[in-house]
Structures are given as structure tokens and as C-alpha cells.
Amino acid sequence: MLLAIILFLVLVGAVLLYRPGLLPGSLAVAIGTVLLTFYHGGMWILLVPTLLVIGLLNVGQWRRRYLVEPVYAALRKAMPPMSVTEREALEAGTTWWEKDLFSGRPDWDRFAAINPPVLTEKEQSFLDNEVNTLCAMIDEWDEHQRQDLAPEVWDYLRQEGFFGLIIPEEFGGRDFSAYAQSRIMSKIASRSIAAAVTAMVPNSLGPGELLIKYGTQAQKEHWLPNLANGSELPCFGLTGPEVGSDAGAIPDIGVVCKDDFEGEQVLGLRLNFHKRWITLAPVATVVGLAFKLRDPDGLLGDPEKTDYGITCALLPATHPGVEIGRRHNPGAPFMNGPVMGTDVFIPLDWIIGGPEMAGKGWRMLIECLGAGRGISLPALATASSQMCYLTVGAYARIRRQFNMEVGKFEGVQEVTADIAAGAYTLEAMRQFVTRGLQDGTPSVMTSMAKYHATERMRRLVNHAMDVTGGRGIQLGPRNFLAAGYRALPVAITVEGANILTRSLMIFGQGAIRCHPYLFDEMETLSTENRASGVAAFEPLLLQHAGHVASNLVRVLLCGFTGARFTAVPADADQFSRRWYQRINHLSAALATAGDTALGVLAGDLKRRELLSARLGDVHSQLFIACSILKYRGTQPRSPSADAHAGFALQQCLYAAQQALLVFCDNFRPRWLGVSLRIACLPLGRAFPTPNDASITALGAEIMEPNPVRKAMAAHVYVSDNPEDSVGRVETTYQMLLTVDKAFQAFQRAWSKGELNADSLDDALAEAVALKVISEEEVEPLRAYDARRRDCVLTDHFETLL
């Protein structure tokens, strides 16, 4: 009997796993169960309920009456009301690889076909020439002193088209790809956060992108050439004193009315607005504006419609009634300030896209936010992480305590290993995300990129400060960390605060946009005609139920077998194969946990932010792990690259596992949370955190001139000027590499008491006499020691401004 039951479970599990279709699957289970009754008569106990379930599922009238209609009624009642802005946010953008991961069964053939982004000849030339020239012009300490970019930097940005990177060539722009934009912003940010933000805003959420996607031909011809050549400088007013992440609460109003404009009466809008924290506002010549449009008198032609919703318009900063306020101080010396307006009248055709785009501004903004979330802010984070890798790795080898490089202490290696893995991860993410943006504007993917890139940057920069200590604290032209440290809050808060992005957006949007059936089901539940709604809902419900059951079987098999028999990309090598299989396991676990949460909590999941955030963490970490594998597969192979990739992958899957476990531990009812935990990880924790051996190995690797370091240096600007903040560290490090063997021998002899001299010169002479070093090595060691001492010094001032 036990064997018969096991065979029955195997049969049902196989049908659910492979999903041959309702009728073929039902026949297979029915025939198999009947045959099992001949093997053991006791199986009649299971045959009767099995046939009843099969009948319920396959007889249409029974299925609709006893299954579909009750479920439809319950879900329709439980579904919370959805605001216009929520619906537009869900409908905006596209999906990409993140949808495969949410399905529980990633299509690895599709993944293998994703090629890495590449720069065109023009884009590479711009990076090698104009961007390098700009970086060489920038003096970050001078910016800090004057609280602005130098005039010659402003001029160069305008003259060389830095404000028109996304504008098509027909309008005088450069029409660069998302990847090129990211690389350009990263290199500028490696030199100056303020300069990067200044160049970034016109190329992300701003009038330029909105005009390109939605503007009328007349608007494009009027504005885009001047935006491209820098004669017009844009800003965009969205946030306000009580409006940040909740853009639907915008209090700024535009009322449709008639008034005089340029000598004649025209139909237009009377605007009242008060915007805050608007980047480039103090120097902007053209203002993009988001506001709520109202038409109380039906002048737009629809007397039944008075509230049109969020609308975007474009107006000159010098237009009567527009007021640019004094500067804010965001902690970095880029231009930021308020924009206000009282009784500002503009013609109706100043709406971006013309009158027909009235009320469509929120969807426009959601789709355009992808540039800021997926390109600009991750580019800042990637640059900061790579500069931490280069400077802290070098400094940890230069700086000595207790006669040893500080980077060799295991406590230090714990954080430098995280810096190394984090920098590798962010470069991988940058390439994967910008590749995804070539195929559309995936809102879930860009939310993942924004949150995890900026949070990783925050962690790594804080690690860097820990390692450098006082050297990183004292402000001055020698400090290579302070400016990035001060600017951290900017990246964390803009383009959607990180708390909101994690707790509401990633899983909130991801569950609906990435689920294969959920969004379509929601559409049927909101159908006014109940009969047509039920008819459309029925096949979706059956497919959804099969999806849930299949993933449950799949996650159990993965849990017991370590996913060793699951599919991987055809090009997977020995290193990557097991990582892909582990992702298969966690992908099935995510799908199972996600469907359980949606089924039990329904609309209440939107308010259970801690639970949704943890499922979002699982989803994000799997996406990041895939980006690491894709990046490793496209780079030259080396033991160093594998060490970085392996450490980073362990971090991702461990973090995903932890988020899943905490989700299960806090899910109610408690018995269901425990059951989920057992189903997803039946053998307990399957993904360990990096061990001490990995930590010390990678902590040592960051101090070496390895291939990963070389690749990162190619993506940022590293000065060779020994008087520059970064150049001082880099040139000292390069000098150390040339004398390291002799320097180590000399230091060992001195620390052991073999050299009795009181001065460096006498000690060097003794070392030569004892044949610790050669005569030819004396002068290089003397020069290096002077450079080393200079490198660890901080600035001091007669007076502080």
C-alpha cells in the first residue's frame, strides 16, 4: 500500500510538473490510479476522490458553478480599489528577464541569447576624448570651495554636447545608447559627483526625454536643438514640500481657461505651483512642470470630465509669474533649488505632446523615470564602488600598522572583500540593466537597479571610510573619499526614496507585471459585465492553478536534490553550472511563496510592506546573480575574476535565502509559514555565506594588480598626477609595486631588529651591508618612502572657511 501511494504521488507530481494540459493530464492520473487499484485494492480509497476532482475540473458546468464562480466572487470582493496613478504605474513600461525569474522556471535559452551591451565607435571616441578632457579639467576641491562647477567646466559641458546625449542626431544631439550614457556618467562621477549630476539631469528625467518620446513635432523642432547645444538648460519640477514619493498627491494645479497671450485671446492653463528640491533649477532656462489639470467649464470639449489628472508642460524660466528661488544645499555642490509660480498663464499647446496628452503625464513620467533609475543613479553607484576598489585597495597596501599592511588584517579584509565583490557586482548589474533597457523600459528591473545599486554604494563607501580612518575624514584636496561620502544621501533619496522602492515598488509592481496570469486576472475582476468577466477569468484560473502546483512540485524536487537535474544555459561552464541550478531552486521558491502570499493576503499584501519587501529582495538578488553570471561569461577568464564572481554570487544567494526565511517566519497563519519554509528549503539552509578563507583571499586580492582591477580602472578616471587626490594614491601604489620585494625585505629586517640605525638613510646603508637589499635598490626605496609618507598625510589649513 505504501509503495502504491508513493507511485500515485509520483504520477500526480509528474503531471503537475510537466503540465501536459488539463484533459491529457487528467486522463493520465485517472488511468494510472485505476491501474494502481489492481496492484493494491486499498487504492480504491484514493480513486474515488481523484475521479471526483478530475470530474470537477473537466466538466465545464460543474467547474464554473463550484469552482470558478465562487473564486471569482471572492477575489472580486477582496480586490482593493486601485487609483488612477496606481493603474498607470502598473501599466507603464515593459518586462524583461525579471519576469522569467518570477515564473519559477527561467528560460535559460533566452538568457543565453542575451548579448552584452557594446559601445559604438562614436561612443567609445567620446569616452576616450571629450569625457577624459572634461575629467582632467575638474578640480573637486575647487568645486567644494566655490560650491559650483568652474566656468570653464560649464562651458565645456555645453560646447561638447554633454547635455544632449539622448537627443537624436537630427536635432543636434548625440543619440547615445543607455550603456554609453551609463559609462559616460560613471567616468564623470569618478571625478566629480556634482559634475555628473549636472550632466545627468538633462539626459534622464527632464524635458528632453519627455519631448523625444511624447512631444509634438513643433515642440521638438523648437526645443531639442537648443537643449542639445546647451543654450537651453532644463530642469523638471515634480517634487514639493509635501509631495515626494506620493506623486499622486501633487497639490499644484493648472486650470483650463482663456486669457490674452502675445496680443490675442487663447485657450490655455492658469498654473499655481510650488516645487522643491529641483536639480538645475537655479540655472535653468526652461522648466518642465508636473501638475494636476482641471477643466471646470468643459473648455476641452468634454463637459462630463473636469479632472484630467497629472499633466506635464514646458515653459521658459523667464515666463511671467515663474519664480526661481534661492539654492538648496544638498551636500554636494550641484545646482538645486525651488521653482514657484502664481497665476502663471500658458497656452494649451505648451503641454508636452499637445492638448491630446492632457492628463497623461503620470504614465509619461513613470516610463521616463527608468532612465534615472536604471542608468543615472546606478552609474553613480558603480563609479563610487569602483573608485573605492581602486583607492582603498591601494591605500590598504600602502598604509602600515604594526609593521604590516593594514589590508592584511583579517578585520580589514572582511570589509575590503565586500568592497571587491560589491564593485564587481555593480559593474555586472550596470551592463545587464542597460542591456535590458535596449529592449524597452522595464519598470521593475530599473527599480531593482536603483535600490540595490545605491544601497550597495552606501555600504561600500562606509567600508572605505572605516579602512581609511582619519585619512578619509579630514576635508581637503588630498581627500579621495569625502565628496562621494557627502553625496550619498542624494542617490538614496531621489527618483523614489529607497524605502518606498524596496517595500512597495519592486514586489508590488513585480508581482503584477511579472506574474504570467495575475495582471490579466485583475483585468477580468474589474470588468463591469460579470458574465464576460467570469468567462475570461476561467481559463486564467485554471492556468494559474497549474502554475502554482507545478512550481510547488518543482521547489520540492529542487530542495531535495539541490536542483542538480534542472536545466542550465547551453554555454554554462563548470563554474557557472551549479550557480544556475541554485537560481532555479530559489526562483521556484520565489514563485511558490509569491503565489501563496497573493492567495492568502490578496489586496492586504499592499499594506504588508515588510513581507512584500522580503519577496522583492529574493527577486532582486536572483536578478543580480544572473547579471553576475552574464558579466563573468563575457569577460576574459581568470582566477581573480572567478574569485570575485564566486564571492558575489554567494552573497546574492545567501541574501535571497535569508529574505525567504524571514518571510516564512513572519507569514501568518503560522502553520502556513512553517509549511512554506519546509517546502522551499526542506533540508534546511542550502546557501552559505562566504567563509573566512574566501574573505581573506578576496581581501588580499583587492590589493593586487589583478585583471578585475585593470577592468575597473578602464571604466573610471584615474589621474596620474601625484598632486591629485586620487593620483597621489595611485602613483604611490604603482611605485610600491616596482619596489615591493625589496621594501618587504627591508621592513622585515628592520622589524626583527637586524638593523640598528635610527634614520632611514643609515638603515638603508646597513641593509646593503647585510645584503638585505642591493645598492641599486636604495634610491628607489628612499623615493618610495618619501612618497608613502606624503600619501598618508591629510590636509591642514591656517583658517577654515
Side-chain angles (χ1 to χ4, degrees), residues 210-279:
L210 291 169
L211 284 170
I212 293 166
K213 291 187 176 181
Y214 307 105
T216 65
Q217 189 63 27
Q219 289 172 340
K220 293 177 181 179
E221 291 174 356
H222 177 76
W223 289 112
L224 290 180
N226 291 331
L227 289 171
N229 64 31
S231 58
E232 296 281 8
L233 197 62
C235 70
F236 193 89
L238 178 60
T239 53
E242 294 186 272
V243 181
S245 299
D246 183 12
I250 288 176
D252 311 295
I253 301 297
V255 179
V256 181
C257 62
K258 292 183 178 180
D259 208 333
D260 291 333
F261 180 75
E262 294 183 349
E264 59 179 295
Q265 192 173 69
V266 300
L267 188 62
L269 306 172
R270 187 163 302 283
L271 298 166
N272 287 280
F273 54 91
H274 187 165
K275 303 294 186 180
R276 287 275 183 175
W277 317 306
I278 310 305
T279 301

Side-chain angles (χ1 to χ4, degrees), residues 155-315:
D155 290 343
Y156 192 78
L157 287 168
R158 288 187 170 94
Q159 292 164 9
E160 299 302 330
F162 280 85
F163 298 139
L165 301 179
I166 65 171
I167 294 175
E169 290 183 350
E170 63 184 290
F171 298 108
R174 294 191 176 273
D175 199 17
F176 283 170
S177 66
Y179 180 54
Q181 293 173 55
S182 177
R183 288 283 303 275
I184 290 165
M185 295 308 159
S186 271
K187 183 163 274 194
I188 300 172
S190 71
R191 192 65 172 158
S192 163
I193 296 291
V197 171
T198 301
M200 177 188 302
V201 169
N203 292 294
S204 55
L205 175 60
E209 186 174 14
L210 291 169
L211 284 170
I212 293 166
K213 291 187 176 181
Y214 307 105
T216 65
Q217 189 63 27
Q219 289 172 340
K220 293 177 181 179
E221 291 174 356
H222 177 76
W223 289 112
L224 290 180
N226 291 331
L227 289 171
N229 64 31
S231 58
E232 296 281 8
L233 197 62
C235 70
F236 193 89
L238 178 60
T239 53
E242 294 186 272
V243 181
S245 299
D246 183 12
I250 288 176
D252 311 295
I253 301 297
V255 179
V256 181
C257 62
K258 292 183 178 180
D259 208 333
D260 291 333
F261 180 75
E262 294 183 349
E264 59 179 295
Q265 192 173 69
V266 300
L267 188 62
L269 306 172
R270 187 163 302 283
L271 298 166
N272 287 280
F273 54 91
H274 187 165
K275 303 294 186 180
R276 287 275 183 175
W277 317 306
I278 310 305
T279 301
L280 295 190
V283 292
T285 62
V286 56
V287 178
L289 202 65
F291 55 90
K292 285 184 176 176
L293 177 63
R294 293 178 181 169
D295 183 18
D297 300 322
L299 297 176
L300 293 180
D302 187 350
E304 301 296 323
K305 188 174 183 179
T306 58
D307 291 326
Y308 276 75
I310 296 174
T311 302
C312 298
L314 194 60
L315 53 158

Side-chain angles (χ1 to χ4, degrees), residues 126-145:
F126 189 79
L127 264 171
D128 294 340
N129 295 288
E130 285 86 349
V131 177
N132 276 344
T133 299
L134 174 67
C135 290
M137 295 171 65
I138 292 172
D139 182 335
E140 198 168 45
W141 179 246
D142 177 69
E143 286 177 6
H144 174 74
Q145 297 292 95

